[in-house]
Amino acid sequence: MSQSQFDPYVQNGGTTVAIAGDGFAILAGDTRSVNGYNINTRFQPRVHEVGDDLVIGASGFEADALALVKRIQQRIDLYHDNHERKMSAQSCACMVRTLLYGKRFFPYYVYTTVAGIDKEGKGEIYSFDPVGSYEREWCRAGGSAANFITPFLDNQVNLHNQYVPGSHGKERKPRRLLKLEEAMKITTDAFTSAGERHIEVGDSVLVKIITKEGVETRIIPLKKD
Amino acid sequence: TTITALRYKDGVILAADSRTTMGAYIANRVTDKLTQLTDNIWCCRSGSAADTQTVADLLKYYLSMYRIQFGHDPSVHTAATLASEMCYQNKNMLSAGLIVAGYDEKTGGDVYSIPLGGSLHKQPLAIGGSGSAFIYGFCDANFRENMTQEEAVEFLKNAVALAMERDGSSGGTIRMVILNKDGMERKFFAIDTANPIPVFTH
């Protein structure tokens, strides 16, 4: 005799990449939404503008992701009413943490990223685990193909295992902040490569670029197979 | 996987995608799922890669022994019967869905489908693998017997491409083998090449 158990979670796939630089932050997410080997839709945005030049990336269980983004949006609206000023990315991240930890024992099955710009104009990225542990970072890959993209980002953004030519592996390449177009190129390559090796990555990438001028949206096409 | 084979005016054509997965990970994106059994008989493999490679290797061995013992090539029927026998007798241990197809001067070419249990079905068109579920409608609507080679290649290319777009475990490139009185010809289709894969999704 077997009993069927209540199973409230579905893995809908989805991958996000965030890179912060001097004067910008980009948050990109592929738009394929899957259920097992079936594609639900080829265009499901998982990076969301929530106002105040803040962008939320949320992937994992789509229903939870959308519910979380909706609650973040509501909390930002409340914040405006109460404080009559823009919400900073730092405040937003702190608030998202409480939303996630508030469901510590029935979590939002979501990998969340918050992107914005800090007071000095530097890009700001905060990444979260499903129960609210968070950290500010310069770059982060989240979601189903994060395993594939993270080592690429380590190498291309943080220059891990890269040495000055001719130094015979003695002198490390100095760390530097990326320019926007460099970061865009790395993001594009990350997604096209992940698409070649992960069945849940494909169709297109929705990119949100945050600068002090505001938020710009770009779409990068990917293979559809 | 998506595998297909059909009989056309001059012989048979086999076609397959090239994706091999381990869960969500694409272990090989340029797999060759079309395997030669004799000079004029090929098979499409679906299911466990290890199982089907082993079955194909054994088939290849027995068919070469047949040729030595009887002094002539085995017919497609013989090859397919042997394949189905192996799949049927070992059905508890195997995860193997095969399509055996070949050219034969007497019959003008035959296609046999051998799905999971090891049954044997002679068909003018056979489709198989997880991706085939997505293209039954397309095949019912567009398949005709006695197509020209150009028509048949186009039909199979479109069928496999459609399955690749919708099935998570199908994708990559399209590989084909054409078998007729002139021997064999291989075709290869991939995006951003002179032989592109058709795109149906906008």
Side-chain angles (χ1 to χ4, degrees):
Chain A
M1 248 291 265
S2 67
Q3 259 202 308
S4 72
Q5 235 207 291
F6 177 50
D7 182 10
Y9 294 120
V10 179
Q11 177 56 266
N12 296 117
T15 301
T16 55
V17 166
I19 300 174
D22 197 4
F24 73 90
I26 64 182
L27 213 183
D30 72 324
T31 64
R32 175 176 291 183
S33 182
V34 301
N35 189 186
Y37 290 126
N38 290 316
I39 297 170
N40 285 331
T41 172
R42 297 189 193 276
F43 195 77
Q44 173 66 248
R46 45 183 128 257
V47 288
H48 309 266
E49 279 184 55
V50 287
D52 294 354
D53 297 333
L54 294 170
V55 179
I56 311 290
S59 71
F61 176 30
E62 206 81 51
D64 273 356
L66 296 173
L68 177 67
V69 170
K70 190 180 255 179
R71 280 189 67 195
I72 293 170
Q73 183 74 258
Q74 288 169 338
R75 290 292 295 267
I76 291 173
D77 291 345
L78 263 175
Y79 184 91
H80 291 323
D81 294 343
N82 292 327
H83 300 90
E84 300 189 326
R85 61 178 150 89
K86 266 177 76 170
M87 186 185 270
S88 67
Q90 193 184 348
S91 302
C92 184
C94 186
M95 180 268 284
V96 168
R97 187 208 122 78
T98 64
L99 292 181
L100 290 170
Y101 197 80
K103 276 170 66 66
R104 171 63 179 79
F105 299 108
F106 183 22
Y108 287 120
Y109 207 133
V110 176
Y111 292 91
T112 316
T113 312
V114 172
I117 291 269
D118 69 12
K119 280 197 278 296
E120 286 105 70
K122 286 203 172 77
E124 222 175 345
I125 303 285
Y126 295 89
S127 69
F128 301 77
D129 81 352
V131 285
S133 162
Y134 80 116
E135 183 181 12
R136 184 176 177 182
E137 292 176 297
W138 286 108
C139 79
R140 167 60 67 178
S144 55
N147 298 185
F148 295 176
I149 296 176
T150 303
F152 174 69
L153 256 35
D154 287 344
N155 184 248
Q156 292 295 310
V157 179
N158 299 320
L159 302 183
H160 286 179
N161 302 105
Q162 291 217 59
Y163 295 89
V164 174
S167 75
H168 305 285
K170 291 281 188 299
E171 196 188 333
R172 283 209 183 125
K173 269 204 184 168
R175 278 205 60 192
R176 83 287 180 232
L177 284 181
L178 290 167
K179 294 196 175 53
L180 174 59
E181 288 313 317
E182 291 173 322
M184 275 301 291
K185 222 167 151 183
I186 288 169
T187 305
T188 308
D189 287 349
F191 276 104
T192 45
S193 305
E196 293 283 345
R197 286 288 179 181
H198 197 107
I199 66 170
E200 292 172 2
V201 180
D203 296 326
S204 63
V205 187
L206 192 65
V207 191
K208 297 281 186 190
I209 303 163
I210 310 151
T211 59
K212 59 179 183 299
E213 270 77 56
V215 183
E216 183 196 334
T217 306
R218 290 190 203 172
I219 291 176
I220 303 163
L222 290 178
K223 282 168 71 179
K224 311 242 180 281
D225 69 353
Chain B
T1 298
T2 306
I3 51 173
T4 60
L6 59 70
R7 208 168 56 210
Y8 76 107
K9 189 161 68 71
D10 307 320
V12 295
I13 306 180
L14 301 87
D17 75 307
S18 71
R19 181 170 287 187
T20 304
T21 54
M22 298 167 72
Y25 173 62
I26 300 170
N28 189 351
R29 58 197 182 99
V30 286
T31 319
D32 193 355
K33 300 178 188 183
L34 306 178
T35 305
Q36 191 166 26
L37 299 178
T38 69
D39 285 351
N40 58 322
I41 304 171
W42 286 64
C43 78
C44 307
R45 301 181 289 108
S46 78
S48 156
D51 285 354
T52 53
Q53 277 173 15
T54 307
V55 169
D57 282 356
L58 282 166
L59 279 170
K60 209 188 270 190
Y61 165 73
Y62 283 122
L63 293 172
S64 76
M65 290 299 284
Y66 179 105
R67 192 181 135 92
I68 292 164
Q69 285 181 10
F70 296 100
H72 62 89
D73 282 330
S75 64
V76 185
H77 175 81
T78 302
T81 307
L82 188 59
S84 88
E85 198 65 17
M86 288 171 67
C87 292
Y88 179 67
Q89 295 297 346
N90 302 289
K91 65 163 98 180
N92 301 145
M93 294 186 283
L94 293 177
S95 165
L98 303 177
I99 295 173
V100 176
Y103 177 71
D104 203 304
E105 273 189 355
K106 288 196 197 83
T107 64
D110 286 314
V111 172
Y112 290 91
S113 170
I114 304 164
L116 243 46
S119 56
L120 183 64
H121 310 272
K122 183 164 180 282
Q123 287 167 332
L125 166 70
I127 60 177
S130 56
S132 65
F134 297 88
I135 52 169
Y136 272 87
F138 173 83
C139 291
D140 289 346
N142 298 102
F143 175 72
R144 286 174 290 111
E145 293 199 41
N146 295 110
M147 282 194 270
T148 65
Q149 189 173 120
E150 289 69 32
E151 287 172 334
V153 166
E154 207 60 21
F155 169 78
L156 289 183
K157 195 209 295 176
N158 287 335
V160 176
L162 281 162
M164 282 165 53
E165 283 188 3
R166 277 293 167 184
D167 179 28
S169 52
S170 304
T173 67
I174 299 174
R175 294 182 187 277
M176 273 188 203
V177 173
I178 303 169
L179 265 20
N180 52 37
K181 68 173 189 327
D182 301 323
M184 137 213 164
E185 186 193 333
R186 291 217 65 161
K187 282 187 181 292
F188 177 74
F189 302 92
I191 64 159
D192 299 331
T193 63
N195 297 306
I197 296 170
V199 179
F200 297 96
T201 316
H202 40 264

Coordinates of all heavy atoms in Angstrom, one line a residue, chain B residues 43-85:
Chain B
C43 N 20.6 1.1 -38.4 CA 19.6 1.2 -37.4 C 19.7 2.6 -36.7 O 20.7 3.2 -36.6 CB 19.6 0.1 -36.4 SG 20.8 0.2 -35.2
C44 N 18.5 3.0 -36.2 CA 18.4 4.2 -35.4 C 18.3 3.7 -33.9 O 17.5 2.8 -33.7 CB 17.1 5.0 -35.6 SG 16.9 5.5 -37.3
R45 N 19.0 4.3 -33.0 CA 19.0 3.8 -31.6 C 18.3 4.9 -30.7 O 18.5 6.1 -30.8 CB 20.4 3.6 -31.1 CG 21.2 2.6 -31.9 CD 22.6 2.4 -31.4 NE 23.5 3.5 -31.6 CZ 23.9 4.3 -30.6 NH1 23.5 4.1 -29.4 NH2 24.7 5.3 -30.9
S46 N 17.4 4.4 -29.8 CA 16.9 5.2 -28.8 C 16.7 4.5 -27.4 O 16.7 3.2 -27.5 CB 15.5 5.8 -29.2 OG 14.5 4.8 -29.0
G47 N 16.8 5.2 -26.3 CA 16.7 4.5 -25.0 C 18.1 4.7 -24.3 O 18.7 5.7 -24.4
S48 N 18.5 3.6 -23.7 CA 19.8 3.7 -23.0 C 20.9 3.5 -24.1 O 20.9 2.6 -24.9 CB 20.0 2.5 -22.0 OG 21.3 2.2 -21.8
A49 N 21.9 4.5 -24.0 CA 23.0 4.5 -25.0 C 23.8 3.2 -24.9 O 24.2 2.6 -25.9 CB 23.8 5.7 -24.8
A50 N 24.1 2.8 -23.6 CA 24.9 1.6 -23.4 C 24.2 0.4 -23.9 O 24.8 -0.5 -24.6 CB 25.2 1.5 -21.9
D51 N 22.9 0.2 -23.6 CA 22.1 -0.9 -24.1 C 22.1 -1.0 -25.6 O 22.4 -2.1 -26.2 CB 20.7 -0.9 -23.5 CG 20.6 -1.2 -22.1 OD1 21.7 -1.6 -21.5 OD2 19.5 -1.1 -21.5
T52 N 21.8 0.1 -26.2 CA 21.6 0.1 -27.7 C 22.9 -0.1 -28.4 O 22.9 -0.7 -29.5 CB 20.9 1.3 -28.2 OG1 21.6 2.5 -27.7 CG2 19.4 1.4 -27.7
Q53 N 24.0 0.5 -27.9 CA 25.3 0.2 -28.5 C 25.7 -1.2 -28.4 O 26.2 -1.8 -29.4 CB 26.4 1.1 -27.8 CG 26.4 2.5 -28.3 CD 27.3 3.4 -27.5 OE1 28.2 2.9 -26.7 NE2 27.2 4.7 -27.6
T54 N 25.4 -1.8 -27.3 CA 25.7 -3.3 -27.1 C 24.9 -4.1 -28.1 O 25.4 -5.0 -28.7 CB 25.4 -3.7 -25.6 OG1 26.1 -2.8 -24.8 CG2 25.9 -5.1 -25.4
V55 N 23.6 -3.8 -28.1 CA 22.7 -4.6 -29.0 C 23.2 -4.4 -30.5 O 23.2 -5.4 -31.2 CB 21.2 -4.1 -28.9 CG1 20.4 -4.7 -30.0 CG2 20.7 -4.6 -27.5
A56 N 23.5 -3.2 -30.9 CA 23.9 -2.9 -32.2 C 25.2 -3.6 -32.6 O 25.4 -4.2 -33.6 CB 24.1 -1.4 -32.5
D57 N 26.2 -3.7 -31.6 CA 27.4 -4.4 -31.8 C 27.2 -5.9 -32.0 O 27.8 -6.5 -32.9 CB 28.4 -4.2 -30.6 CG 29.0 -2.8 -30.6 OD1 28.8 -2.0 -31.6 OD2 29.8 -2.5 -29.6
L58 N 26.3 -6.4 -31.2 CA 26.0 -7.9 -31.3 C 25.3 -8.1 -32.6 O 25.7 -9.1 -33.3 CB 25.1 -8.3 -30.1 CG 25.8 -8.5 -28.8 CD1 24.8 -8.6 -27.7 CD2 26.7 -9.8 -28.9
L59 N 24.4 -7.3 -33.0 CA 23.7 -7.4 -34.3 C 24.7 -7.4 -35.4 O 24.7 -8.3 -36.3 CB 22.7 -6.3 -34.5 CG 21.4 -6.4 -33.8 CD1 20.6 -5.1 -33.9 CD2 20.6 -7.5 -34.4
K60 N 25.6 -6.5 -35.4 CA 26.6 -6.3 -36.4 C 27.5 -7.6 -36.5 O 27.7 -8.1 -37.6 CB 27.6 -5.2 -36.0 CG 28.2 -4.4 -37.2 CD 29.2 -3.4 -36.7 CE 28.6 -2.1 -36.4 NZ 29.6 -1.0 -36.2
Y61 N 27.8 -8.2 -35.3 CA 28.6 -9.4 -35.3 C 27.8 -10.6 -35.9 O 28.3 -11.3 -36.8 CB 29.0 -9.7 -33.8 CG 29.5 -11.1 -33.6 CD1 30.8 -11.5 -34.0 CD2 28.7 -12.0 -32.9 CE1 31.2 -12.8 -33.8 CE2 29.2 -13.3 -32.7 CZ 30.4 -13.7 -33.2 OH 30.9 -15.0 -32.9
Y62 N 26.6 -10.8 -35.4 CA 25.8 -11.9 -36.0 C 25.5 -11.8 -37.4 O 25.5 -12.8 -38.2 CB 24.5 -12.0 -35.2 CG 24.6 -12.6 -33.8 CD1 24.2 -11.9 -32.7 CD2 25.2 -13.9 -33.6 CE1 24.4 -12.5 -31.4 CE2 25.3 -14.5 -32.4 CZ 24.9 -13.7 -31.3 OH 25.1 -14.3 -30.0
L63 N 25.3 -10.6 -37.9 CA 25.0 -10.4 -39.3 C 26.2 -10.6 -40.2 O 26.1 -11.1 -41.3 CB 24.4 -9.0 -39.6 CG 23.1 -8.7 -39.0 CD1 22.7 -7.2 -39.1 CD2 22.0 -9.6 -39.6
S64 N 27.4 -10.3 -39.7 CA 28.6 -10.6 -40.4 C 28.9 -12.1 -40.4 O 29.4 -12.7 -41.4 CB 29.8 -9.9 -39.8 OG 30.3 -10.5 -38.6
M65 N 28.5 -12.8 -39.3 CA 28.7 -14.3 -39.3 C 27.7 -14.9 -40.3 O 28.0 -15.9 -41.0 CB 28.4 -14.8 -37.9 CG 29.4 -14.5 -36.8 SD 31.0 -15.1 -37.3 CE 30.8 -16.9 -36.8
Y66 N 26.5 -14.3 -40.4 CA 25.5 -14.8 -41.3 C 26.1 -14.8 -42.8 O 26.0 -15.7 -43.5 CB 24.3 -13.9 -41.2 CG 23.1 -14.3 -42.2 CD1 22.0 -14.9 -41.7 CD2 23.2 -13.9 -43.5 CE1 20.9 -15.2 -42.6 CE2 22.2 -14.2 -44.4 CZ 21.0 -14.9 -43.9 OH 20.0 -15.2 -44.8
R67 N 26.7 -13.6 -43.1 CA 27.3 -13.4 -44.4 C 28.4 -14.5 -44.7 O 28.4 -15.0 -45.8 CB 27.8 -12.0 -44.5 CG 28.2 -11.6 -45.9 CD 28.8 -10.2 -45.8 NE 29.9 -10.1 -46.7 CZ 29.9 -9.7 -47.9 NH1 28.8 -9.4 -48.5 NH2 31.0 -9.6 -48.6
I68 N 29.2 -14.7 -43.7 CA 30.2 -15.7 -43.9 C 29.7 -17.1 -44.1 O 30.1 -17.9 -45.0 CB 31.2 -15.7 -42.7 CG1 32.0 -14.4 -42.7 CG2 32.2 -16.9 -42.7 CD1 32.7 -14.1 -41.4
Q69 N 28.7 -17.5 -43.3 CA 28.1 -18.8 -43.3 C 27.3 -19.1 -44.5 O 27.3 -20.2 -45.1 CB 27.2 -19.1 -42.1 CG 28.1 -19.3 -40.8 CD 27.2 -19.5 -39.6 OE1 26.0 -19.8 -39.7 NE2 27.9 -19.5 -38.4
F70 N 26.5 -18.1 -45.0 CA 25.6 -18.3 -46.1 C 26.1 -17.8 -47.4 O 25.5 -18.0 -48.5 CB 24.2 -17.8 -45.8 CG 23.5 -18.5 -44.6 CD1 23.5 -17.9 -43.4 CD2 22.9 -19.7 -44.8 CE1 23.0 -18.5 -42.3 CE2 22.4 -20.4 -43.7 CZ 22.4 -19.8 -42.4
G71 N 27.1 -17.0 -47.4 CA 27.7 -16.5 -48.6 C 26.9 -15.4 -49.3 O 27.2 -15.1 -50.5
H72 N 26.0 -14.8 -48.6 CA 25.3 -13.7 -49.2 C 24.8 -12.7 -48.0 O 24.8 -13.2 -46.9 CB 24.0 -14.1 -50.0 CG 23.0 -14.8 -49.2 ND1 22.0 -14.2 -48.6 CD2 22.9 -16.1 -49.0 CE1 21.2 -15.1 -48.0 NE2 21.8 -16.3 -48.2
D73 N 24.5 -11.5 -48.4 CA 24.1 -10.5 -47.4 C 22.8 -10.9 -46.7 O 21.9 -11.4 -47.4 CB 24.0 -9.1 -48.0 CG 25.3 -8.5 -48.2 OD1 26.3 -8.8 -47.4 OD2 25.5 -7.7 -49.2
P74 N 22.6 -10.7 -45.4 CA 21.3 -10.9 -44.8 C 20.3 -9.9 -45.3 O 20.7 -8.7 -45.6 CB 21.6 -10.7 -43.3 CG 22.8 -9.9 -43.2 CD 23.6 -10.3 -44.5
S75 N 19.1 -10.3 -45.4 CA 18.0 -9.3 -45.8 C 17.7 -8.4 -44.7 O 18.0 -8.7 -43.5 CB 16.8 -10.1 -46.3 OG 16.2 -10.7 -45.1
V76 N 17.0 -7.3 -45.0 CA 16.6 -6.4 -43.9 C 15.7 -7.1 -43.0 O 15.7 -6.9 -41.7 CB 15.9 -5.1 -44.5 CG1 15.6 -4.1 -43.4 CG2 16.7 -4.5 -45.6
H77 N 14.8 -8.0 -43.5 CA 13.9 -8.7 -42.7 C 14.7 -9.6 -41.7 O 14.3 -9.7 -40.5 CB 13.0 -9.6 -43.6 CG 12.1 -10.6 -42.8 ND1 10.9 -10.1 -42.2 CD2 12.3 -11.8 -42.4 CE1 10.4 -11.2 -41.6 NE2 11.2 -12.2 -41.7
T78 N 15.7 -10.2 -42.1 CA 16.5 -11.1 -41.3 C 17.1 -10.3 -40.1 O 17.1 -10.6 -38.9 CB 17.6 -11.8 -42.1 OG1 17.0 -12.5 -43.1 CG2 18.5 -12.7 -41.2
A79 N 17.7 -9.1 -40.5 CA 18.4 -8.3 -39.5 C 17.4 -7.8 -38.5 O 17.6 -7.8 -37.3 CB 19.0 -7.1 -40.2
A80 N 16.2 -7.4 -38.9 CA 15.1 -6.8 -38.0 C 14.6 -7.9 -37.1 O 14.4 -7.7 -35.9 CB 14.0 -6.2 -38.9
T81 N 14.4 -9.1 -37.7 CA 13.9 -10.3 -36.9 C 14.9 -10.6 -35.8 O 14.6 -10.8 -34.6 CB 13.7 -11.5 -37.8 OG1 12.8 -11.1 -38.8 CG2 13.1 -12.6 -37.0
L82 N 16.2 -10.6 -36.2 CA 17.3 -10.9 -35.2 C 17.3 -9.8 -34.1 O 17.4 -10.1 -32.9 CB 18.6 -10.9 -35.9 CG 19.8 -11.3 -35.1 CD1 19.6 -12.8 -34.6 CD2 21.1 -11.3 -36.0
A83 N 17.1 -8.6 -34.5 CA 17.1 -7.4 -33.5 C 15.9 -7.6 -32.6 O 16.1 -7.4 -31.4 CB 17.1 -6.1 -34.3
S84 N 14.8 -7.9 -33.1 CA 13.6 -8.0 -32.3 C 13.7 -9.1 -31.3 O 13.2 -9.1 -30.2 CB 12.3 -8.1 -33.2 OG 12.0 -9.4 -33.5
E85 N 14.3 -10.3 -31.8 CA 14.5 -11.4 -31.0 C 15.4 -11.1 -29.8 O 15.0 -11.4 -28.6 CB 15.2 -12.5 -31.8 CG 15.1 -13.9 -31.2 CD 13.6 -14.5 -31.1 OE1 12.8 -13.9 -31.8 OE2 13.4 -15.4 -30.4

